[in-house]
Amino acid sequence: MKSAAASKRKPKATCIRTGGGVEEMKQAILDNLVCVQGRFAPVATPNDYYLAVAYTVRDRILAQWAKTAHTYYAKASRTVCYLSAEFLLGPHLENHMINLGLYEEVRQAVEALGLDFRTLIDQEEEPGLGNGGLGRLAACYLDSLATLNIPAIGYGIRYEFGIFTQEIRDGWQQEVPDQWLRMGNPWEVARPEIAYDIPFGGHTESGLDDAGRYRVRWVPERRIRGVAYDTMITGFASPSVILLRLFRAEATTSFDLRLFNVGDYYGAVHDKIDSENLTKVLYPNDEPFAGRQLRLMQQFLFVSCALQDMIRIYGQREENLSRFHEKYAIQLNDTHPAIGVAELMRLLVDVHGIGWDKAWEITRKTFCYTNHTLLSEALEKWPVPLFHAVLPRHLEIIYEINRRFLDDVRRGHPGDEDLARRLSLIDEGGERYVRMANLAAVGSRRINGVARLHTDLLREQVLNDFNRISPEKFLNVTNGVTPRRFLVLSNPALVALISECIGPAWIRDLSRLSELESFSQDASFLDRWRAINRRNKELLATIIRTRTGIATDPDSLFDVQVKRIHEYKRQHLNILHVIALYNRIRRGETGDLPPRTVLFGGKAAPGYFMAKLIIKLIHAVAETIHADPKTAGLLRVVFLPNFNVKTAHRVYPAADLSEQLSTAGKEASGTGNMKFSMNGALTIGTLDGANVEIREEVGAENFFLFGLTAAEVEQKWREGWCPGDAIAADEGLREAIELLESGVFSRGDRGLFLPLTRTLRERDDYMLCADYPSYIEAQDRVGRTYLRQKEWLRMSVLNVARVGKFSSDRAIREYCEKIWQVNPVEIG
Ligand code: NBG
């Protein structure tokens, strides 16, 4: 009897691993709790259950991953390798549930076990392996690559500590280490068998090899091992599951052994600790570029591991490396992985014995480079001595690439030594530096900017000389974001309403949102639209209350600016408007002011004093305003600490107004602007980055424009920009700045904000004073429009209906067609 029952259950047992039914998953969760985690139900914590659910979902993903990997292997598909020092993934669980089409089933299984679904979901620590837009873009692109069935691998670094956790004490930012791995990470699979020993330091030797060819041998001082950890990336309603392969630094066993043999046990252990430090922490950006040795070593470790991994995979089917560029398209996400150009040359020439010219041809056909910034202080350039100490062989290779490259330039432009000097991979003006953007540009087949204006400015300014000598390399791919995470996951009620009206096909083809246009006049539809937004604001108000103690009114206008804190992003322009509102309230001029909640969120780089002072300023202004009874019911100012992907899910759907205030010509693209618009927020913004294209799409009449254009900003600099004149010419601005200096917002301390106001008065590098009057005027329009709710709602619907272009699916299709020449592959 017993064995018959057991054999009957047998087929079901496999279903528990992979089946999509509620019952199977319920059983799987209980099994995982015991068999994977070694816990039993009565003592299991919510985190134990979260892990059990995560393993349950992961099993389903792995089953699909195996099919995908097998298909790509069998078809030897051309593969995109996306190299990025940052992937800001955000929490996985809900995202996978949506992508796999198992959301309801998992939720029901969890609830059938008597567990609270939300509590469980909230257990997940997000992998914050990025600073902001650049890392989040990489994560959106992986989502779209999987969704579109493009053979792809993401390569990066498995930081033990991601972007710091931000705490606020007395209005100041404090950084706390992010221990995202503390409770384990169910979403990765360690691959100890996939590991590469990466050389560092030492010197080079040259001579003839057995065949009489000139060869260089790098004799490194030490080696550090990079070990692979794989994270599965699912696509929406797609059979393909791709890999994000992150490398973690470890000590090499050989090195340990050498020290052990000479009896230096502590030395060997120390080396182990030392090696592991390499991938301990993600470097914050937004500080002027600092040539930190550890950072260069991080970059080289992951890039070398990635290239060696590609060569290994390629070698499974191919004899020699001559067709490497046909198998792979490597995308350099900014210059952080640009050392790859020199490293591929080293691997091809030194290790695999390919001649220089052939190796250079392969290299140049393999790499493409995306630039993400126009800020000159952010451009990576390594001091030559430091570079030489870490990567002596690469310096030689770079010199050789440079010599050949500049020879060509001189042939094409005889006598133009200035041009050669500017194009050189080495900055020779004073202390010598290796220019990573130049290396990336010379070594790449295509170079792209991330929004139309940004690409134009790249060609005219930062990479102008490269554009002169090879204009055919340049093109634009405007950024996009995934509607799965930033709409389906974040705003389920809106998604249900949209799908009810136009069907669900828009989730894979965002341009179909245009079918919503016909509903923008439908009163009952608008009522439902408003109710959903109102509910999202209530949810955010609860979060605000819990995290800051501040009560906000969901009926007020939620005016939101969330992004890294930086002077060019001009959070302080926003605060000056808040002060202007406060002044009006004090004077009793509240006629056409809707009640407002002005919400800020974002991290400041730990070493960026001004950005930290802006955070303090926001808190100080909030404190004063809230202490004044006149502002009750009219104005609240909130700084929501530790803005991250998890918080973002709750913020974008609750916003009425999206603040995109960067000085024209400074923000490469922006992607938060797209997430807001996708959720129905209206934008107040400058003609900068992708704002230009968002406005073009949603219509000028549905966008609150203000400020100088990039060309006007340039013009002003040429004419001699003088903020003093602008301050003298605007009474409101003068009053606001003086109020800041009076100590009203700083408990009488007149000095606290002087560094900020003095910069505004004396230099105002970001032309805040120039844009102030038009910003205030635009904010007045915002206020008046908000009071006409019907009109506002209609504009909100039209924003969503016309935002289709900004899906990362569209962006990835463009990369595939215009840059990578990679096609989708049918799985199975
Ligand atoms: C950022 C830009 C943003 C842009 C993202 C993604 C860097 C270096 N650049 O404007 O500042 O949206 O990249 O392209 O982080």
Side-chain angles (χ1 to χ4, degrees), residues 298-440:
Q298 279 187 343
Q299 294 181 352
F300 181 63
L301 180 97
F302 100 85
V303 169
S304 179
C305 284
L307 290 171
Q308 294 191 52
D309 199 47
M310 287 172 225
I311 291 174
R312 176 186 63 82
I313 295 170
Y314 176 90
Q316 290 169 347
R317 309 183 62 105
E318 297 274 345
E319 289 286 301
N320 67 60
L321 286 159
S322 61
R323 281 149 43 103
F324 187 78
H325 56 284
E326 291 173 23
K327 165 76 181 169
Y328 294 115
I330 301 182
Q331 193 65 32
L332 301 172
N333 196 29
D334 220 58
T335 55
H336 316 139
I339 187 62
V341 171
E343 173 64 354
L344 184 57
M345 283 302 284
R346 183 187 73 89
L347 292 168
L348 295 176
V349 175
D350 292 1
V351 179
H352 294 275
I354 296 176
W356 183 279
D357 290 330
K358 178 70 190 165
W360 185 235
E361 186 198 329
I362 295 171
T363 300
R364 292 209 347 169
K365 285 184 174 167
T366 305
F367 286 100
C368 294
Y369 158 50
T370 307
N371 172 289
H372 292 266
T373 187
L374 295 163
L375 303 182
S376 53
E377 68 270 22
L379 292 180
E380 289 193 301
K381 45 177 206 168
W382 298 98
V384 166
L386 182 149
F387 199 94
H388 179 257
V390 178
L391 300 170
R393 177 58 185 142
H394 295 78
L395 190 60
E396 292 175 358
I397 291 173
I398 288 171
Y399 283 153
E400 183 59 18
I401 295 174
N402 202 33
R403 190 183 64 75
R404 292 168 182 243
F405 167 59
L406 292 183
D407 279 354
D408 278 353
V409 170
R410 290 189 177 107
R411 260 195 300 278
H413 300 81
D416 195 347
E417 260 320 289
D418 248 15
L419 178 68
R421 188 181 46 74
R422 292 193 306 266
L423 285 168
S424 172
L425 307 193
I426 308 294
D427 178 345
E428 314 252 11
E431 216 190 315
R432 298 170 75 231
Y433 293 96
V434 182
R435 296 164 163 163
M436 298 311 268
N438 295 34
L439 177 62

Side-chain angles (χ1 to χ4, degrees), residues 133-134 137 285 334 336 372-373 450 479 568-569 667-671:
L134 176 141
L137 185 80
N285 65 357
D334 220 58
H336 316 139
H372 292 266
T373 187
V450 290
N479 282 168
Y568 87 77
K569 296 178 189 274
E667 188 71 270
S669 161
T671 42

